[in-house]
Amino acid sequence: MAATIESYYNITEKVDRLRAFYNKYGGEALFIVPSGLDRDALLDIICGGDPYFGDRPTVWTVGDLYKELQRITGSSVRVIDPPDHNLILRWLLEEFLSEMEKDGVALAPGLYHKGFVTVLGDNIKELLAEEVSCEGLSQALFDEEEPDPALPEAVLITLYERYTDYLAEYGLADAAQIATLTRLKLNAPEALEFVAGKRLVLAGFLSFTGAQLKLVRALCDIAEVLMLQPETGLDGFHDGISQLGSEYYGRPEWNVPIVKLEASNAYLELEALARETALWIEGAGGFAELGGLDDYGEVGLLISPDRLPVMEYALSRYKIPYNIQVRGTVGETLAGDLPSMIWRVWNSNWDNYNTAILLANPLLFSEEGGFAAEYDESSFPEGYDEWRRALSPSARKRLAEIRALCLAFEKGGRPADILSLWHDFLEGADAVGGAVRVASGEPSLDERVKDVSHAIYELKKKIKNLNDEAKYIGPAAGVVLRGGDAAAFISDWGRTATLPIQLPQSHSLTLYAGMPPILTEHRYWLMAGVDYNSWPGMLRESLLLRNDNKVRFNAGSPDDEEHPHLPEIREEREQKEAIFRRLLATGREGVVIARSLTDASKDPVAESQFVAPLFKRHDPKRGWREAGKVCYPLDAALPDGDGPWFPQAEIICTPVSPAPTHKVPEGRADEEGKPVVRISDIDTWNVCPYLYWCQSRLRFERPRTELYDPRVAGILSHRIWEEAIQAKAAEPKLSLQIYVMENWRRFKDECYPALDADPRLARHEKNLMRQLFAMAAMQDEIEARIPAGARLKIETECALEGFELNGALFRGQADRIDYYADGAVVMDYKLGRSAAHDKELQVPAYCAILKEAGIAVQGLGWFGQRDCSVSGYFNGGYFDIYAAGGTKRSRQSADERMEEALSVMEQMAESVKNGIYRPKYDVKAQRCKSCAFYVLCRKRETQGYIAAEPEESEGNGDE
Ligand code: SF4
């Protein structure tokens, strides 16, 4: 029987034909489609997309037909899945490499590379699909001669032969052999009878592999076949019709408009696609040239899988409802990269970089669990032990589990054992729970949770299959994988295990992240990334079977119709152009092809070579026409204010209304009675009244991010000086240094016990001790310079109360006052450098109060612990006594500083009485630069604000 062949542009043109065929033949009709994903598409076309309550048409792939013939004939050959295909090849390759090594054959280094199994697998699949025999290939390439075993073609032939022998020995078949096996099944009378009783429709096959072509010829010999062949408009393309030596019948006509979209970079390209689609539904924008858009459900959009997140983000920003129709593999889920990430950490011996990346993985480590609670990021842990010390107990437990997993990998196991280890680890870590936490409150992330859950389901299924006697794949299942090979095996499995496809949703744009099913159709079709790098992209000849060898093989028996044919580079390019055109044909009424003008390295990218020929038609009835061009140069990234504007998604670069004036916030605190001011707050108020309001009135605290607490260290230091100075006052010959050294442990235990208890503070403890001992020694030197009997007394922590100025009461406590016959010297102890404080007014304010009380002030200054120094303002000979660690003489005197302090105290009293505190926005001031309240005071909204990196505060932690 001969086949009836009809061609079409878009499968919807054949709706009536398909329905009529089904109505006529009912259960006798058998529809065969190229892939499993096309089953639903064809069912929808035949049943009209409506609920269908009658018997459903039988739509199968060739694989389904093979299964049915197997059932009828009782055959037991089992078709393996891609992970098994890889396992068998890996096993055969390892065996082959060790044989070659033993024989002293030097092979090309690429054969030892991990990715070589994939290259080998692709070549073998091609040979199987074209029904090329080992003998035929060997004969064509080497004639009768014994080839050099190191030659790539000889390696391919050897491994191809071993692979097919292996499959035959264990009753297995590769998926690429299905067409061949189906044809061979037709030799059985039961199978023949079954097919002969059917009316076959082959829908959507663009061209056939050698094995498929032989099967189609065999089917045509047995049954009545209707072939619905897609057209490409390419003259001379070797499609199914010409492969069968038939003629075109009932040819379609088309004249579909295409709009080109060009953007200056890949990100803008996707943004522009979303933006123009949002404009289109409003009847505006460049895509409107294609016709009206009434419903987003009329649009299909194709992008590459790696661009899916950016496309989703752009669509959501422009509020375009969408559904994703082509899903990826387990390797693309949140769990996909984990095996290699974990192995990198193990290999790097838990280095800081790789371990920090792993810690950021939400499936294993959750912020909620407080893993980082004790982590001081400035400590840069390296190595397992340091990381353990740096993390919280829950994170430590997870680290131990990861370590145990890697040790188990090192020990090795069969593929099923390795996958079981991985499964138990993910279950133990509650990876699905981790995904739920990531997605919490964000419905658009629900799919990610389902993906992780499905990845674990697939893992369980694969382990069951590998352990199933009935699904035994021979000794390859028992190969022992160790270390990096074990981790790589899990990743490889993830790349081949597919995820389920979402149910389609009406009224929403359909996003295809990868090749859509062949029978897909939409009113409008949008394609991103249509540039030279992708269409045709780089077509490389195989390293194992070079193009000239394919040409030699094909030239073997030119007159023999049955002689297999291997696709040459030229034919692969033609095939790619045909596929490109068939993708365009997905759009019934219009197409958009989008591209970026530059690649990831900012180099210009040319237009696809397939685009220009679309518009140069030889056949006026069949082709595409250019309907417009939309350009998005970089300066169109922001709308200019004159054109349409999506306020929820875009900002505009030209203001359309006067900029709103910045509103300066005010802190307010009403005073009841006479206000009381702490003198230690003067400097804060002087830097910024708003900061004073936040800290002293609202009692907001700067969040502490480090383990070491300078405030507690300040209390410890003050306690030491208070006690040591009192001891010195009682016993003038006492050495401060010896006193501090002898009592250091007691001071620590009383004021900052964590310094000893926590090993992470050891570094800080050592620093603090060194600084305190050095400063005690420096004070001993100062003490030695004070003439005997000159100092009358020393007071520490002296309260200065009840000083009233401008209606406010000032209150404070000086660290230390040395009294002499002619006046007093007031000193303050600081943890930081002394010079960082010499512009402060707190100590001059104490002095001003003393002066008001009738006590002359001969000097005021600061001891700086960090650099063991003194800064200050000292009269006459007092400078020589107190100067230490590089004290500079100042042009200002202590009296001038006191006047300054009084003036600021007066202003502060006024402010406190009014209860109004405005920010000063002194962005050059150190405290303003590193201030924690910059959001509250709206500092960054002020005109001319320039963000400055916060610098380390000089007065770090001083109290
Ligand atoms: S950021 Fe600057 S202006 Fe704002 S509160 Fe802090 S110190 Fe004041």
Side-chain angles (χ1 to χ4, degrees), residues 687-691 694 918-923 927-929 931-939:
V687 167
C688 172
Y690 193 82
L691 171 62
C694 289
R918 294 198 180 93
K920 223 180 199 177
Y921 299 137
D922 184 359
V923 292
R927 291 188 69 182
C928 190
K929 278 185 202 173
C931 176
F933 307 114
Y934 64 90
V935 175
L936 287 179
C937 76
R938 304 173 70 175
K939 175 173 73 169

Side-chain angles (χ1 to χ4, degrees), residues 260-273 307 531 594-606 629-638:
K260 291 184 186 175
L261 185 152
E262 290 179 351
S264 70
N265 61 55
Y267 180 78
L268 195 53
E269 178 197 348
L270 302 191
E271 279 282 310
L273 270 170
R307 303 177 81 188
D531 60 27
R595 74 177 178 113
S596 158
L597 297 173
T598 51
D599 64 11
S601 327
K602 309 276 181 297
D603 291 329
V605 185
K629 191 167 177 176
V630 185
C631 295
Y632 272 74
L634 199 53
D635 59 7
L638 301 177

Side-chain angles (χ1 to χ4, degrees), residues 3 5 129-130 202 204-217 220 227 229-230 236-248 560-567 571 574-575 578:
I5 303 178
E130 298 299 337
L202 301 183
F205 290 88
L206 179 59
S207 61
F208 300 113
T209 62
Q212 284 173 334
L213 189 60
K214 286 183 189 170
L215 171 65
V216 173
R217 286 196 182 120
C220 291
M227 199 174 110
Q229 163 79 49
F237 174 63
H238 207 54
D239 60 10
I241 295 179
S242 53
Q243 282 179 306
L244 285 168
S246 184
E247 296 293 323
Y248 287 98
D560 179 5
E561 226 189 29
E562 292 295 306
H563 183 71
H565 179 91
L566 287 169
E571 291 162 331
E574 279 170 12
Q575 180 78 11

Side-chain angles (χ1 to χ4, degrees), residues 348-378:
S348 70
N349 198 15
W350 306 84
D351 74 355
N352 188 276
Y353 176 75
N354 284 299
T355 315
I357 289 176
L358 185 63
L359 283 171
N361 189 294
L363 295 192
L364 301 187
F365 297 93
S366 97
E367 279 283 351
E368 240 170 56
F371 84 83
E374 295 167 20
Y375 174 47
D376 169 12
E377 65 257 4
S378 64

Side-chain angles (χ1 to χ4, degrees), residues 312-325:
E312 284 192 85
Y313 176 61
L315 290 172
S316 349
R317 281 187 39 239
Y318 284 95
K319 307 255 182 292
I320 298 173
Y322 66 91
N323 64 93
I324 305 167
Q325 267 296 302

